[in-house]
Amino acid sequence: MRNPGGKSKRKQVSDWMKMNNRELLAEIEELRIRLEEAEEALSAIRSGEVDALVVSSGEGEKIFTLEGADQPYRVLVETMSEGAATLSADSTVLYCNSRLADLLGTSLDEILGKPLLSRVAAANAPVLAALLERSLDESCRLGESFRTELALLRETGDSVPVLFSCCSLDLGETRGISVIVTDLSEQKRNEEIVAAGTLASSILEQAGEAIIVCDETGRVIRASRQARELFGASPILRPFDELGPLQEFHTDLPFSISAPLSGQSFQGLEVVFRRHDRPFHLLLNARPLLIRRKILGCVVTLIDITDRQRGKEALEEAKAAAEEANRAKSEFLANMSHEIRTPMTVFMAAIDHLLYLDDNPERRHLLGMADQSARRLRGLIDDILDVSRIEARRVELEDEPFELRACVREMLQMFDIPSREKDLRLETEIAPDVPHIVLGDPKRLGQVLINLVGNAVKFTPEGEVCVSVQPRGELLEFAVSDTGIGIPEEKLELIFQNFRQVDSSFTRRFGGTGLGLAISKGLVELMGGNISVKSREGEGSVFTFDIPLKRADKKSLEPLESSGEDFGKELSSVRILLAEDEPMIRELVTTMLARRGWHPETVGTGREALEKWEEDDFDIILMDLQMPLMNGIEATLAIRSRESKRGKRTCIIGLTAHAHREIREECLASGMDEVLTKPLQMDDLFTAIDGCDQVRGPSS
Ligand code: ADP
């Protein structure tokens, strides 16, 4: 191959510019002939027909002889699957087989005569340069081979991993390099596949979940260790649906692998699987295995949540048991209070009646003592019941309009006598901007105030007790202050707890149960407020609580009850039926009613009450709730359904030992007009009777 004259391209072009047409044509013809020669030479080299190769350059010519005996090797080199090349000392490719050209994705013409270093990835060039340098080193014997893995750069820009082996070659005057390039793409791919397979296997072995891979027919093709443990044997090659059944926890339907195989995905589906009667609670995730949008199988993971589920169930059971215990406690207290209230109704009413009848001072004194003790006992029962209700969060608060000043005044009136006895001043200070009518529960507010003022009076030997009310933003602040014995600082925290008193010896000095403040705190908190105390021993105490009581207008107040003069019916002509199974209570209520000149008919069951009502024309029925054969509610329902035909309505007043709001509501819903709680207070009984339309005439 020649490059005559070795001219530079620029010089050649300027020479051509100076030529005329003929000279130019001759020049082109010569170039064409030389090109043909070069092409012939190239194909001769490739086919192994050439014995010697002359490389011309500006520095002269180099001749590489190819001995005739090398011919068979050249054929061998051309047919082998590795790339092969011969390089000059400066890495110029002198010879290269077509496999190497294929590997590089180019033609032999593009490689021959050019440095091979430009054909490797930039990062590998220094490695290759060092390798070539080493093999050319004089100290290295001819034929000694060196190898390295590197990436060849293909014409398209991507790279091919290869094993590059080289050894020095005697090219006569100089040394050259013989190169063999082995394509590692396939091997690398296989290695990657093997590595991916190994990774997948170790993931399956170590995964904490049961992982199952199914093919498109639903057969298990891979399974994790956990899956084998869960199903008790290797599920490989078994149809997934035969491993189960996996019952869906909430529907009891069996889960089928056909669902994910038809494209459905599942996340956190709770299923139950049984093995040897042992239930496993599992969380199932399933996804179709999509490769190029084609479903080739699916992956199912199962997480064992049996312990978690058991814990949840145990917790629910414990909660249900606690609720049941609490319900049983409330029921017990309600029953107990019923049982205690019934005899108490009797002896309180009996005492009351005896006091009414008897003028003898000595007996009246004794009866007074009995009356006081009965009231204390009833207070205690009410307190215990209140504490249990507050603890069980079963206190229902009213939200009704009421006159705040009247509520405070009435409450204070109760302490008129005890404070006068001790010569205590009882003051109220209600700020002018405190609303007159507010929305709330007057009974519960009164209960808190009674507790606090009761304590203040009890623990104050002299001086004053003052109740003040003032607005504090959205809230109303109530303060009960006294000039009493005070409370030691270290006891201030304790006194709001059940049964806690400053000193047990106080029990003897002052009496009390230690429940009043616990009830007050519970009620204030239920009303949405807070209670606190400040006190100094020997100087007095201030109990403060604030609750949200919204302003209401006057119109919202119910019309005042009419006075006795408005009664539409002559009191003595009121006809009353008393339905009560307890003979003593029957007798007592009869005695109470007799004070007003009323003589009720009495029956002992709901059924008798109904029969009596059908025979006669009663204005009022006093109906006990718990009666044999037919209870008070059933009797009321029956009366209400029948009286529409009769055209006259009877006033029905329920009597119950259960003070629950639900019971009261149930009574009213059955058609009762009013409900009274035992022990019956005479005043309450008369007020209820006076409130009946049948007695006072219908309100306009
Ligand atoms: P009780 O008064 O029935 O004992 P309380 O819960 O109402 O129960 O009060 C708890 C204790 O707090 C009382 O026993 C008393 O020691 C103390 N206490 C409450 N109010 C006052 C007060 N105004 N002055 C002094 N001590 C008080």
Side-chain angles (χ1 to χ4, degrees), residues 14-28:
S14 78
D15 284 354
W16 289 336
M17 300 283 281
K18 289 177 204 150
M19 288 178 187
N20 60 29
N21 274 357
R22 196 150 14 100
E23 287 167 333
L24 214 51
L25 281 171
E27 181 74 16
I28 291 168

Side-chain angles (χ1 to χ4, degrees), residues 2 27 190 319 453 483 490:
R2 290 169 195 277
E27 181 74 16
N190 287 341
K319 195 174 153 230
V453 177
T483 53
E490 69 278 10

Side-chain angles (χ1 to χ4, degrees), residues 383 451-460 480-482 484-488 491 494-503 506-507 510-520 533 535 540-543:
D383 277 0
N451 273 333
L452 298 183
V453 177
N455 279 344
V457 171
K458 182 159 75 171
F459 295 108
T460 305
V480 178
S481 57
D482 64 57
I485 60 170
I487 303 161
K491 304 278 180 169
L494 299 178
I495 56 170
F496 289 105
Q497 295 172 12
N498 286 345
F499 307 109
R500 296 306 280 262
Q501 296 178 318
V502 169
D503 194 317
F506 277 16
T507 318
F510 295 101
T513 56
L515 285 175
L517 286 179
I519 293 170
S520 301
V533 59
S535 186
S541 314
V542 186
F543 284 82

Side-chain angles (χ1 to χ4, degrees), residues 10 25 100 155 179 200 254 284 289 311 380 394 534 621 669 686 691:
R10 192 175 293 166
L25 281 171
L100 184 58
E155 200 67 15
V179 170
L284 177 146
L289 209 59
L380 176 63
R394 283 186 56 178
K534 282 192 181 130
I621 302 178
F686 292 154

Side-chain angles (χ1 to χ4, degrees), residues 250 265-271 282-286 301 303 305:
H250 296 289
S265 289
F266 296 85
Q267 181 87 39
L269 182 73
E270 285 182 49
V271 293
L282 308 168
L283 220 52
L284 177 146
N285 297 328
T301 60
I303 303 163
I305 54 163

Side-chain angles (χ1 to χ4, degrees), residues 657-674:
H658 292 283
H660 293 316
R661 183 183 183 168
E662 302 99 77
I663 291 184
R664 181 181 163 79
E665 277 166 5
E666 201 187 340
C667 292
L668 296 178
S670 74
M672 291 185 185
D673 298 273
E674 186 50 276

